[in-house]
Amino acid sequence: MDVAGSIALVKVVQAVLLVVAALGLTAYKWPDNAVVTDDAVYDYIVVGAGSAGSIVANRLTENPNVHVLLVEAGGDPPIETAIPAMFAFLPKSTIDWNFVSENDGYSAQYHRNGYLNLPSGKVLGGSSSIHHYYYIRGHANDYESWANATGEDSWSWNNLLPYFKKSENLVDEEILNSSTGQYHGTNGYTVITRELREMPLKYLEAFREVGSKVVDDINTGNTLGYTRPMVFIGNGIRQSSAESFLSPIKNRSNLHLLKETTIDKILFDDKKNAVGVQASRNGEILNIYAREEVIVSAGAFNSPKLLMLSGIGPEAHLKSMGIKLVADLPVGENMQDHLAVILVHKMEKTSGIPKLENPFKFPIPTFVGLDALNTDQGYPDYLTLNLIVRSNPLNLLLLCATVFGLHNDVCEQLAKAGQRREILVTIFNVARPLSRGKVMLRSNYPQDPPIIYTGFLSNSTDLENNAAFIEKFIKVTESSYFRNVSAETLYFDLPNCRGLQQNTREYWKCYVLNMMDMTFHYSSTCRMGSVLDAELKVLGVNKLRVVDASAMPNMVSGNINAAVMVLAEKAADLIKKDSDQYSVGPWMT
Ligand SMILES: Cc1cc2nc3c(=O)[nH]c(=O)nc-3n(C[C@H](O)[C@H](O)[C@H](O)COP(=O)(O)OP(=O)(O)OC[C@H]3O[C@@H](n4cnc5c(N)ncnc54)[C@H](O)[C@@H]3O)c2cc1C
Ligand SMILES: *[C@@H]1O[C@H](CO)[C@@H](O)[C@H](O)[C@H]1NC(C)=O
Ligand SMILES: *[C@@H]1O[C@H](CO)[C@@H](O)[C@H](O)[C@H]1NC(C)=O
Ligand SMILES: *[C@@H]1O[C@H](CO)[C@@H](O)[C@H](O)[C@H]1NC(C)=O
Ligand SMILES: *[C@@H]1O[C@H](CO)[C@@H](O)[C@H](O)[C@H]1NC(C)=O
Ligand SMILES: *[C@@H]1O[C@H](CO)[C@@H](O)[C@H](O)[C@H]1NC(C)=O
């Protein structure tokens, strides 16, 4: 099979899945669609039932006197979101917003399209219903930057640790019995398990041999090293925020969930209080009011878009869109994300018979690393996500061509290399890049997707760092395991890099530009410290907060879903604390 064949296969499977979805096999699991009339009033309205919004809605409705409306543009999660093996079929589907980046003329040029796909979940659970399961919290140093940006030590690692534990139900006796057990929770809504297959162990040993640390638990906030990671999979099922925070409370009568409804605007009174939202459902427009607050949890692209449509954003940009200014703030600026460089090693020869994995486990045997050029600094420079694909060219094609959008020619070279061979695919990320992207409005029509510039490699230090860090990572090829199996770095034939000497700084810089994609960690577009205060309240207006990946002052050195969740857990407490000062009256509609 070639690239076109694998893409066609994905389309066929997706078409079959649409038919399956129509059966509504899992509908029993989710809260019903609420009947909400024009002019309805709630205590709180939460926009977006994603990673963060589902948590906020759950926590606020723990008090039966508090009435919350949760509004979600998507619908119930189809069955394929639950099954770990199906992750490659989720992007570019009806549960994806299907955003793409602008072609910036520099990054992602040797790519299928010259721009990047930016999958984002449009479904209960949001992007946690389509993500890649890694549970990696990041390092205390990341959260120190949050504390610095907000001037609030409550955002430091030590002060957030109780919230990490609060969401978590770690099912792993070995860790819980060990010295790092203290960092984990066992009573939370989200089941976390760990990669326990043996396949990664020989690789961990190789990294140990070349001087890196090997640990059992990388989620302690102060650890560098290589490990078999923890994952958002429990009982064989994806632990999205919908699965863990909404399904168990589907009967809570003080939580109303409005599905397949999009919020187009936040409504303000003349004192700049957010008093409600304008919703659209099948062409019908509803105004719904919030007595206490509106909480925007629409994700790192749609939250800034909604704020700007509502008059909160850079003054000149809003003016050019014909939108009346409510507050002049740098909304949409400072976008951060993990650029991913795809590195490939050809490992031992195999019989050629694909090894089939249990579909209810993490889809491909994996290990991860948080490492630094100079480990004395204590915090990571780079994050590597590593997949071990054994004689399975089709899986390599799916990864290369549908999960990522690499050039067809590259994907075919990869699939060829993977015949009768074990392949190590490394998704290599500089942990805290300096480049910044930007989200802007395309027009003042809510239906239009935002304009998104990733900004990748716009700060040239990122290119230098990528190359320097890859040089260190690649030293693992000197280990006895790699030597034993005659491992080879796959130096793809990249037209733009021909003539450069392999494994030199200049070569790697060229390689990075040509073999880049991303890890989908869009964040910081409405960050605390410039758009939000330390309690996630939008500056310059009242009764409005943003609680999701866009609120992070900076991205963390990990896959960011755990950080989004901790932010949402803390936000719920901040909102509850303020509500003691309001009077929560009887519910009216
Ligand atoms: C393909 C992919 C793989 C990833 N892999 C990992 C991983 O392995 N590990 C990890 O930790 N992280 C991963 N991430 C990142 C992580 O999933 C996200 O950062 C996180 O889910 C973002 O949460 P959020 O609450 O900010 O936004 P979301 O979870 O995206 O939620 C936003 C919600 O708001 C809804 N919405 C948007 N606009 C409106 C509107 N106007 N009206 C009503 N509803 C609206 C959306 O439909 C969505 O449900 C991945 C992400 C992607 C896309
Ligand atoms: C936070 O601020 C302190 C004091 O200015 C500084 O020393 C430290 O390096 C900063 N930490 C981060 C992660 O930015
Ligand atoms: C963890 O500790 C409990 C109680 O001491 C013990 O019963 C169990 O066997 C231990 N499990 C592991 C995997 O070490
Ligand atoms: C919700 O209520 C139904 C009907 O009473 C019950 O069968 C179901 O178990 C309840 N679900 C949850 C998650 O509490
Ligand atoms: C790159 O980032 C550094 C550190 O933040 C900054 O000082 C420098 O100005 C940036 N360069 C560009 C071109 O943005
Ligand atoms: C290398 O191969 C030899 C011989 O097959 C074996 O004994 C040894 O354990 C291997 N070492 C590693 C690190 O794989």
Side-chain angles (χ1 to χ4, degrees):
M1 187 169 305
D2 59 2
V3 173
S6 75
I7 293 173
L9 170 74
V10 168
K11 296 266 174 268
V12 170
V13 174
Q14 286 177 334
V16 172
L17 290 169
L18 270 182
V19 175
V20 175
L23 301 174
L25 294 175
T26 59
Y28 72 92
K29 287 180 68 164
W30 312 111
D32 290 332
N33 207 0
V35 177
V36 179
T37 52
D38 196 25
D39 289 340
V41 182
Y42 289 83
D43 295 312
Y44 297 93
I45 297 173
V46 180
V47 181
S51 286
S54 302
I55 295 177
V56 172
N58 177 315
R59 296 302 184 191
L60 292 181
T61 52
E62 284 170 346
N63 178 344
N65 296 319
V66 173
H67 293 89
V68 173
L69 178 69
L70 176 60
V71 187
E72 169 55 47
D76 292 344
I79 187 107
E80 63 272 23
T81 61
I83 303 170
M86 308 273 313
F87 75 107
F89 300 95
L90 306 178
K92 290 281 161 200
S93 72
T94 54
I95 59 166
D96 182 359
W97 285 86
N98 291 309
F99 295 142
V100 299
S101 68
E102 299 299 308
N103 185 335
D104 61 18
Y106 178 60
S107 70
Q109 294 302 290
Y110 195 64
H111 220 258
R112 201 173 329 129
N113 303 310
Y115 55 77
L116 297 167
N117 290 332
L118 309 172
S120 303
K122 185 181 190 180
V123 61
L124 293 188
S127 298
S128 70
S129 291
I130 66 168
H131 72 32
H132 296 158
Y133 311 103
Y134 287 111
Y135 178 78
I136 302 177
R137 294 169 170 177
H139 192 275
N141 183 260
D142 302 325
Y143 298 94
E144 186 179 304
S145 99
W146 291 19
N148 282 4
T150 57
E152 265 293 332
D153 197 50
S154 63
W155 288 105
S156 68
W157 167 268
N158 283 342
N159 289 322
L160 288 176
L161 184 57
Y163 289 112
F164 278 115
K165 294 166 75 170
K166 186 177 185 185
S167 315
E168 184 185 21
N169 175 9
L170 178 67
V171 179
D172 191 316
E173 272 192 3
E174 196 184 330
I175 297 287
L176 291 170
N177 283 357
S178 77
S179 62
T180 68
Q182 57 178 306
Y183 294 97
H184 296 280
T186 52
N187 294 317
Y189 279 107
T190 304
V191 181
I192 301 291
T193 55
R194 194 156 56 104
E195 165 68 283
L196 291 174
R197 282 169 288 205
E198 285 184 359
M199 185 103 89
L201 294 178
K202 59 196 182 190
Y203 290 94
L204 297 182
E205 190 46 45
F207 280 96
R208 191 201 309 271
E209 194 187 323
V210 297
S212 298
K213 263 174 65 174
V214 172
V215 296
D216 288 329
D217 184 355
I218 212 157
N219 281 327
T220 61
N222 55 7
T223 313
L224 293 186
Y226 290 78
T227 193
R228 290 184 293 178
M230 293 176 187
V231 292
F232 285 102
I233 298 173
N235 310 312
I237 285 194
R238 171 190 292 275
Q239 297 294 299
S240 69
S241 283
E243 174 72 30
S244 51
F245 283 89
L246 293 181
S247 190
I249 60 158
K250 61 166 283 194
N251 292 341
R252 248 184 221 174
S253 59
N254 55 329
L255 174 61
H256 279 186
L257 174 60
L258 193 50
K259 305 179 210 179
E260 288 168 3
T261 303
T262 307
I263 301 303
D264 292 340
K265 205 173 180 182
I266 300 155
L267 305 172
F268 292 97
D269 68 11
D270 55 11
K271 297 198 180 70
K272 300 195 179 182
N273 294 305
V275 293
V277 295
Q278 181 187 304
S280 89
R281 179 178 60 185
N282 288 329
E284 179 196 9
I285 304 287
L286 302 174
N287 285 340
I288 315 170
Y289 295 94
R291 225 179 290 119
E292 304 286 354
E293 294 189 30
V294 174
I295 295 131
V296 176
S297 300
F301 298 137
N302 280 313
S303 286
K305 178 183 156 189
L306 178 58
L307 291 191
M308 289 189 274
L309 285 172
S310 309
I312 301 170
E315 182 170 11
H317 179 50
L318 296 192
K319 196 168 175 207
S320 73
M321 293 286 136
I323 294 170
K324 189 168 157 271
L325 186 75
V326 177
D328 178 15
L329 293 170
V331 172
E333 289 169 19
N334 196 62
M335 186 179 116
Q336 302 184 29
D337 201 339
H338 283 127
L339 173 153
V341 183
I342 313 301
L343 299 171
V344 176
H345 286 89
K346 299 206 270 182
M347 306 303 298
E348 62 204 45
K349 298 203 166 65
T350 65
S351 66
I353 299 164
K355 183 162 173 359
L356 296 179
E357 298 294 337
N358 177 340
F360 300 104
K361 287 190 173 165
F362 189 90
I364 304 172
T366 185
F367 64 96
V368 306
L370 280 176
D371 209 346
L373 266 192
N374 174 3
T375 49
D376 289 346
Q377 77 181 14
Y379 58 87
D381 288 327
Y382 56 93
L383 160 72
T384 82
L385 311 169
N386 308 278
L387 302 168
I388 306 162
V389 184
R390 211 172 153 81
S391 27
N392 199 334
L394 175 60
N395 264 358
L396 292 170
L397 278 178
L398 286 177
L399 264 178
C400 188
T402 71
V403 175
F404 299 111
L406 296 178
H407 199 282
N408 289 0
D409 185 44
V410 163
C411 295
E412 265 144 37
Q413 291 180 49
L414 174 58
K416 185 155 166 268
Q419 284 162 2
R420 298 176 172 268
R421 200 91 194 224
E422 183 169 310
I423 296 285
L424 177 66
V425 177
T426 298
I427 299 154
F428 188 93
N429 308 270
V430 170
R432 292 258 300 270
L434 302 168
S435 299
R436 298 291 181 258
K438 195 168 179 169
V439 178
M440 291 182 291
L441 293 178
R442 195 174 297 276
S443 76
N444 58 14
Y445 292 113
Q447 297 85 342
D448 276 350
I451 293 175
I452 302 163
Y453 285 102
T454 65
F456 280 146
L457 302 171
S458 55
N459 190 312
S460 57
T461 306
D462 283 340
L463 189 59
E464 290 291 336
N465 284 344
N466 261 291
F469 301 160
I470 288 172
E471 281 169 19
K472 172 158 183 191
F473 176 81
I474 223 88
K475 289 218 154 60
V476 72
T477 52
E478 291 163 17
S479 65
S480 15
Y481 172 62
F482 276 65
R483 282 177 186 279
N484 248 15
V485 300
S486 309
E488 293 166 46
T489 305
L490 183 50
Y491 293 106
F492 288 89
D493 179 25
L494 301 167
N496 301 326
C497 309
R498 283 177 196 152
L500 292 174
Q501 197 189 335
Q502 287 169 0
N503 204 7
T504 58
R505 185 64 53 95
E506 284 314 302
Y507 174 83
W508 286 122
K509 281 162 64 173
C510 184
Y511 185 97
V512 168
L513 272 164
N514 285 272
M515 289 293 294
M516 59 163 286
D517 205 288
M518 61 152 71
T519 327
F520 323 110
H521 298 157
Y522 340 110
S523 47
S524 304
T525 47
C526 307
R527 66 204 296 243
M528 279 189 279
S530 58
V531 174
L532 310 178
D533 72 8
E535 300 196 333
L536 302 148
K537 292 176 182 161
V538 178
L539 297 168
V541 301
N542 308 307
K543 298 190 170 212
L544 181 64
R545 291 189 221 230
V546 177
V547 180
D548 61 22
S550 54
M552 292 181 187
N554 287 306
M555 187 171 55
V556 300
S557 306
N559 309 58
I560 63 173
N561 198 51
V564 171
M565 292 175 70
V566 84
L567 189 141
E569 287 281 17
K570 182 176 166 66
D573 270 3
L574 291 169
I575 297 165
K576 286 178 181 178
K577 183 196 73 173
D578 275 0
S579 80
D580 297 342
Q581 299 157 23
Y582 309 130
S583 58
V584 176
W587 186 34
M588 315 181 298
T589 57

